[in-house]
Amino acid sequence: MQSNLSPKLGDTPDARLHVGIIMDGNGRWATRRGMSRLRGHEAGVEAIRRVVEAAPGQGVGALTLYAFSSDNWRRPKTEVSALMALLRFYLANEVEALVRNGVRLTVIGRRDRIPEGIAHAIARAEAATAAGSALHLRIAIDYSARDAILNAATRAAGIVDLTRERLAELITGEKNLRDVDLIIRTSGEKRLSDFLLWEGAYAELHFTERMWPEFEAQDLAEALGAFHRRERRFGGLQAIAPEEVPSL
Ligand code: IPE
Ligand code: IPE
Ligand code: MG
């Protein structure tokens, strides 16, 4: 069977897999244990650390984590504030470890509605980690895939001969970001909840009952193992690597 990895594996970060994770189930994990939902979110941060550490060794070059959706503003104010405080804490305290591990961090989503302190923490973390090449970690905060597409479409309005590649750049904010190969969602829910709708056009989907705070390096390995056993066809009749998809 042909490998789902690019033949260029190891040459550049772009040639390695792009995995997206919808980190779901923090609240249920905590309430089932008689704890507050906030404790679930705190345990979720530990799971982020585990996965970020394990990802480069499992052939992952880009990892996009869904941390806070634009629809999550609908949650009670207390939970939103707690989540924002936690994100700020993560961004401020993780930079050193990210730099040490060669992780480049970028944050996707709107910046104009989050607290100023977080916006600053994001800018500092992005600048401090800019040279990292072991893993491109993308954290989605106040993110909506449909808004990302809408904003890109607005910016693209005057462009003559707009191509998919150019529109993709406007949507993702990156040149040559690989389409997402695999989207994992924890907690048994089977929906995309407005995550990576453009980038995930041909993504394989992996749903697990595991709650996000329980997610371990081994779970990532299992999801990737299942991914490698699948046959990706991109509309054709034979398994092909994403790089070999002929443009229409
Ligand atoms: C995911 O866990 C984290 C965020 C959406 C911020 P949830 O908070 O959605 O947990 P459940 O789905 O209520 O269990
Ligand atoms: C999606 O989870 C967003 C994040 C994981 C950050 P939700 O828990 O908000 O999604 P729905 O509401 O169940 O679709
Ligand atoms: Mg949820």
Side-chain angles (χ1 to χ4, degrees):
M1 190 180 27
Q2 192 160 358
S3 165
N4 281 340
L5 276 176
S6 150
K8 287 184 290 181
L9 173 69
D11 288 357
T12 66
D14 298 342
R16 294 170 296 159
L17 290 178
H18 180 181
V19 174
I21 307 185
I22 302 172
M23 309 181 289
D24 201 9
N26 292 353
R28 277 164 287 166
W29 177 86
T31 47
R32 280 175 198 170
R33 281 162 181 75
M35 301 187 291
S36 70
R37 292 178 55 87
L38 175 59
R39 287 296 307 280
H41 296 312
E42 284 170 356
V45 172
E46 294 303 320
I48 292 177
R49 288 203 179 97
R50 292 195 291 271
V51 167
V52 168
E53 203 169 298
Q58 297 189 15
V60 178
L63 179 66
T64 304
L65 301 178
Y66 207 1
F68 189 88
S69 79
S70 292
D71 289 322
N72 287 147
W73 293 113
R74 294 182 185 161
R75 295 189 179 197
K77 229 179 153 174
T78 47
E79 176 157 344
V80 169
S81 307
L83 277 166
M84 289 297 153
L86 207 53
L87 283 170
R88 186 175 177 172
F89 181 80
Y90 175 83
L91 290 165
N93 287 278
E94 215 57 21
V95 171
E96 221 180 280
L98 294 177
V99 170
R100 197 168 53 242
N101 295 323
V103 179
R104 172 162 80 98
L105 173 77
T106 58
V107 172
I108 56 171
R110 286 179 66 160
R111 300 266 172 111
D112 58 323
R113 299 191 294 193
I114 54 177
E116 214 180 329
I118 299 207
H120 286 144
I122 290 172
R124 277 196 298 270
E126 286 181 335
T129 62
S133 60
L135 177 72
H136 182 187
L137 173 63
R138 304 166 79 227
I139 300 188
I141 300 174
D142 195 359
Y143 175 83
S144 152
R146 287 193 293 195
D147 280 351
I149 294 167
L150 175 64
N151 292 339
T154 308
R155 291 176 60 198
I159 303 178
V160 192
D161 299 333
L162 183 66
T163 59
R164 283 184 178 188
E165 287 70 25
R166 181 74 189 108
L167 188 57
E169 272 173 37
L170 292 170
I171 292 170
T172 63
E174 298 281 340
K175 262 196 195 307
N176 301 321
L177 179 72
R178 188 184 165 98
D179 275 355
V180 65
D181 296 283
L182 169 67
I183 294 178
I184 299 169
R185 183 167 191 150
T186 55
S187 88
E189 305 299 346
K190 295 184 177 66
R191 54 179 172 266
L192 292 175
S193 301
D194 205 5
F195 186 55
L196 303 183
L197 299 182
W198 170 278
E199 302 90 321
Y202 270 100
E204 299 288 330
L205 306 177
H206 183 89
F207 300 106
T208 166
E209 294 297 317
R210 191 84 84 211
M211 296 291 160
W212 177 247
E214 303 166 330
F215 201 85
E216 304 274 352
Q218 182 57 29
D219 296 300
L220 180 64
E222 273 168 32
L224 286 165
F227 168 85
H228 286 295
R229 288 191 293 277
R230 294 194 204 164
E231 190 180 291
R232 302 184 83 191
R233 293 177 163 191
F234 298 94
L237 297 181
Q238 284 175 333
I240 47 176
E243 291 71 22
E244 291 156 21
V245 179
S247 47
L248 296 174

